[in-house]
Amino acid sequence: MTSIFESRLTEILNAATDSIRQRVAAAVAPEPKVQIPMPALEGFAKALVPLQSALERLDALMPGNWQGEHLAYADMVRLMQEGVPLAWVPPAGVIRQLLAAGDASACSKVIDDCRPEIIVSCGETLEAVSDARLTVQRALLEECVQMAERGMFSGAQALAANVWDTLVRGLAFANRSWLTDGGWWSYTKIKQSVPSVDDDDATIGELRTAAVFLPCAKTLDAFHHPQPVPGSFNRQATAHATGVVQYTATNAMTALMLAVSVLREIDDQGYPVRIHA
């Protein structure tokens, strides 16, 4: 994790998950294999009351589209690492369909089939953005939504990819550890620096902090001629390999969700950002 994101949010979330683990361990301590008397059962129920309260507080700190949905976070990590944005958008119903999809091709079909719901979700999420620093980028993404509604997917993909790029650069310039030793921008350095989940035993707090940025590594994968153009959304291919392989309705939706996700996260958490535009 980088310093900017190891802030109060991470401390609160990690403390909450540690508290939950301790309470669960205390509540379900091994007992002899005998029938549990009623007073013990009542004590167990009472022990779970603060746990429920902690879970509710933790749930309230999650992105809006996760709250109250009881989603499979471990499976979501895998999907986000494959480049699929899930924080703030799309709706929880679409997330469940994506989790049920068997492979990348099936995920693409879900995104295509759920395009109307995704577009509506992106528009509603943008409406909630109130940070004055993000006014211009919000307006540009609203244009992307309008283009997607009209079937102008190539334009939506190109603009959303550039807004996402601008936002990530803005985060980097506000966070010195994301830049090179010379104080400059590098996609390789960004890919190494953004928050991530490095193991299967990550806390919910670590997942929440990293959620918006988990798709970054896949999105920033480099490719060079004569390698084939990536079929999934890729920043470099969107900028330098315009054509039917990279420019698709599915990739347009992915680019839009990525940009909306990062914008809404900056707005929600008040992250430092220096947008050079």
Side-chain angles (χ1 to χ4, degrees), residues 1 66 73-87 164 191 194-198 206-220 258 261-262:
M1 298 283 185
W66 297 6
Y73 292 152
D75 293 333
M76 289 166 65
V77 168
R78 171 189 54 78
L79 202 56
M80 289 186 285
Q81 288 174 332
E82 291 173 1
V84 181
L86 299 179
W164 177 81
K191 189 174 178 179
V194 294
S196 62
V197 172
D198 297 321
E206 290 170 333
L207 168 62
R208 171 61 183 89
T209 304
V212 170
F213 303 97
L214 285 176
C216 280
K218 184 71 173 177
T219 302
L220 290 174
L258 275 168
S261 180
V262 172

Side-chain angles (χ1 to χ4, degrees), residues 133-192:
R133 300 173 302 168
L134 307 174
T135 300
V136 174
Q137 305 307 318
R138 169 185 161 173
L140 290 171
L141 289 178
E142 288 171 339
E143 287 186 30
C144 292
V145 169
Q146 293 167 7
M147 283 191 283
E149 288 173 337
R150 295 167 183 157
M152 302 167 64
F153 299 117
S154 295
Q157 178 174 336
L159 181 54
N162 280 302
V163 172
W164 177 81
D165 191 274
T166 297
L167 292 171
V168 173
R169 284 174 179 262
L171 289 168
F173 286 126
N175 181 24
R176 182 66 179 76
S177 65
W178 283 29
L179 301 175
T180 65
D181 292 341
W184 194 238
W185 165 271
S186 161
Y187 286 113
T188 300
K189 179 65 173 176
I190 292 294
K191 189 174 178 179
Q192 295 170 345

Side-chain angles (χ1 to χ4, degrees), residues 5 24 27 29 34 39 58-59 80 97 99 102 104 131 155 167 172 178 190 194 212 215 229 249 274 277:
F5 296 103
V24 169
V34 297
L58 191 62
D59 186 66
M80 289 186 285
Q97 291 184 58
L99 292 175
D131 192 328
L167 292 171
W178 283 29
I190 292 294
V194 294
V212 170
V229 175
R274 291 173 55 196

Side-chain angles (χ1 to χ4, degrees), residues 82-98:
E82 291 173 1
V84 181
L86 299 179
W88 296 107
V89 291
V94 176
I95 292 178
R96 290 193 177 91
Q97 291 184 58
L98 288 166

